[in-house]
Amino acid sequence: QVQLVESGGGVVQPGRSLRLSCAPSGFTFGNYAMHWVRQTPGKGLQWVSLISYDGTTEYNPDSVKGRFTISRDNSKNTLFLQMNNVRAEDTAVYYCAKERVAFSVTWSMYQWGQGTLVTVSS
Amino acid sequence: NLILTQPHSVSESPGKTVTISCTGSSASITTNYVQWYQQRPGSAPTVVIYEDNQRPSGVPDRFSGSIDYSSNSASLTISGLKTEDESHYYCQSYDSSNHVVFGGGTKLTVL
């Protein structure tokens, strides 16, 4: 049974940094591309980043480009999101999500974690 | 860039059928696959349709997806509505820049 458990959320001041982690289980982590998706309170979903199964390729939207970095350690079964120079508008629940097909990118989120809340506030 | 537009809310009675639309902007929604996610209050999203019309195991066949090429839109249809279907539903695809795009979400009320 696939499980994804996010951690690392909390309150952070504007301009500071935070690193989120995602601990997977129930599947071979190193075989699957992974996403980060966020949801602002009471609002919709926004894609944050994608990393290939081997960590060699990543994609992210302009809203976080240059500030957020997705990475993974397949030897330690962990996905990361490094968030630098955070802004108030980065306040959201951050979900990690798994791709459906191994060794491929289908641009879909087949399984999701329960999320971790990041609040940017002074 | 692709923009996906959904109705803000829909409502229907138990046992009836409801269709939620997801209309693409100037970019064609039919170029890439569309997924649909269900999100109950306080829970993470779960996929109910992938690759336009495929159902994951465990999703009832009351849920179906389709593409209308003439209107550049995707649809999620739920038949035999149950109160447990009351949720937010989001469509999702990706654009030519390899960016994932979500619709704004539709709140389904079953009353």
Side-chain angles (χ1 to χ4, degrees):
Chain A
Q1 174 186 357
V2 171
Q3 278 199 315
L4 300 166
V5 179
E6 300 92 340
S7 61
V11 180
V12 57
Q13 293 179 328
R16 302 299 289 265
S17 298
L18 196 66
R19 189 175 81 160
L20 307 182
S21 300
C22 172
S25 60
F27 67 102
T28 304
F29 174 65
N31 290 355
Y32 289 85
M34 299 290 293
H35 298 265
W36 285 100
V37 177
R38 68 186 180 185
Q39 185 168 33
T40 52
K43 295 287 181 65
L45 300 167
Q46 182 186 23
W47 174 68
V48 173
S49 202
L50 162 73
I51 189 167
S52 59
Y53 71 94
D54 58 2
T56 58
T57 307
E58 57 184 270
Y59 300 91
N60 41 51
D62 291 343
S63 57
V64 305
K65 198 179 294 289
R67 298 189 302 122
F68 291 9
T69 302
I70 189 172
S71 63
R72 64 192 299 160
D73 187 338
N74 287 347
S75 67
K76 296 183 178 178
N77 262 22
T78 310
L79 175 73
F80 301 102
L81 183 69
Q82 178 68 41
M83 306 169 60
N84 296 331
N85 189 23
V86 297
R87 306 166 179 167
E89 54 264 35
D90 296 323
T91 294
V93 174
Y94 285 74
Y95 298 100
C96 65
K98 169 187 166 291
E99 274 274 350
R100 185 175 63 85
V101 179
F103 308 113
S104 181
V105 176
T106 65
W107 301 99
S108 62
M109 297 95 208
Y110 206 63
Q111 282 106 355
W112 300 61
Q114 286 304 304
T116 185
L117 175 62
V118 173
T119 302
V120 181
S121 174
S122 54
Chain B
N1 286 348
L2 178 63
I3 298 173
L4 302 178
T5 301
Q6 300 180 232
H8 183 69
S9 63
V10 296
S11 61
E12 190 50 90
S13 302
K16 300 290 189 179
T17 296
V18 70
T19 297
I20 299 172
S21 63
C22 173
T23 302
S25 60
S26 55
S28 175
I29 197 176
T30 61
T31 302
N32 298 314
Y33 284 127
V34 174
Q35 283 63 237
W36 290 91
Y37 303 92
Q38 176 190 59
Q39 187 177 32
R40 294 192 170 99
S43 296
T46 61
V47 62
V48 292
I49 294 291
Y50 67 95
E51 290 184 356
D52 295 343
N53 54 20
Q54 302 299 301
R55 262 189 326 276
S57 60
V59 174
D61 59 6
R62 301 186 295 106
F63 289 78
S64 63
S66 62
I67 299 292
D68 184 338
Y69 295 88
S70 64
S71 62
N72 195 33
S73 65
S75 293
L76 173 68
T77 299
I78 310 171
S79 60
L81 275 170
K82 301 182 177 183
T83 54
E84 67 203 47
D85 298 331
E86 190 162 286
S87 301
H88 278 86
Y89 291 88
Y90 296 90
C91 61
Q92 174 262 312
S93 187
Y94 61 102
D95 64 20
S96 56
S97 301
N98 287 334
H99 289 171
V100 170
V101 179
F102 286 96
T106 299
K107 181 178 181 179
L108 169 62
T109 301
V110 182
L111 38 66

